[in-house]
Amino acid sequence: MSEVRLRDEMARLCRSLFERGFSVGSAGNVSARVGDGLLITPTNSCLGFLDPARISKLDSNGHHAGGDPPSKEIFLHRAFYDSRPSVGAVVHLHSTFATAWSCLTDIDPEDCLPPLTPYAVMRVGRVRLIPYTRPGDPRTGELIRALEGRHAAVLLAHHGPVVTAGNLRSAVYAAEELEETARLLVTLRGMPTRMLGAEQVDELTRVFSAP
Ligand code: 13P
């Protein structure tokens, strides 16, 4: 996809996320690979009102090469691109239910989003909880790099999800799937709930393998 079309698509998908309440205010940031670098939403921008021409461009060394100043979360985006070559886009949100889930004291940090529905397993896979760091702290990138590319998505404690996929549209869909799964988990909390079993998860991973 040309850079001009990718800029338009990023603005359109981000607006859609904003209009449906997946992001509020200036929360969240989105990036995608282009031939000679990365496009990423500008710092302090609202996902609902991006100007495609002002989306930040970083060159292949990560230096700011055009548009408005980039998101302060560039570290966590680059950690995914560097450790998972198949990643074409990264979506970070502060979406309500996933963020609520990230604050619970009794979730499994190794596998923090239990396998409730097939689409979460297919699109998002096993999600790792990353311990709290302040927004924009480069240590978040180091914690993601330490996972050595084993996860397509992580949940930042007290902060929100970071979801990746092979392209921008798929990353947005996966971020929506993660949020809706968290919403179901919160809804079902306290009710005896049957999760998918290991065999079912294995089958989904085999047939639909997450990027
Ligand atoms: P930026 O405005 O710098 O992208 O930061 C927003 C955010 O979501 C911080 O986690």
Side-chain angles (χ1 to χ4, degrees), residues 40-113:
I40 184 161
T41 51
T43 190
N44 296 323
S45 59
C46 172
L47 296 190
F49 303 98
L50 293 172
D51 175 349
R54 292 177 61 180
I55 290 172
S56 311
K57 172 104 181 256
L58 302 185
D59 65 20
S60 50
N61 297 316
H63 298 131
H64 186 206
D68 287 345
S71 170
K72 62 180 164 297
E73 301 290 24
I74 186 62
F75 306 101
L76 59 91
H77 291 249
R78 291 198 73 210
F80 269 112
Y81 291 116
D82 291 347
S83 57
R84 275 175 82 85
S86 61
V87 167
V90 178
V91 174
H92 166 52
L93 299 173
H94 298 176
S95 49
T96 307
F97 287 92
T99 305
W101 196 254
S102 80
C103 301
L104 296 174
T105 54
D106 59 348
I107 52 177
D108 176 2
E110 305 273 323
D111 187 9
C112 67
L113 208 72

Side-chain angles (χ1 to χ4, degrees), residues 5-25:
R5 281 190 58 200
L6 186 57
R7 285 175 178 274
D8 285 344
E9 174 156 278
M10 188 177 281
R12 215 170 34 247
L13 287 168
C14 286
R15 186 173 68 235
S16 168
L17 285 170
F18 177 79
E19 286 175 348
R20 289 175 296 136
F22 288 94
S23 81
V24 297

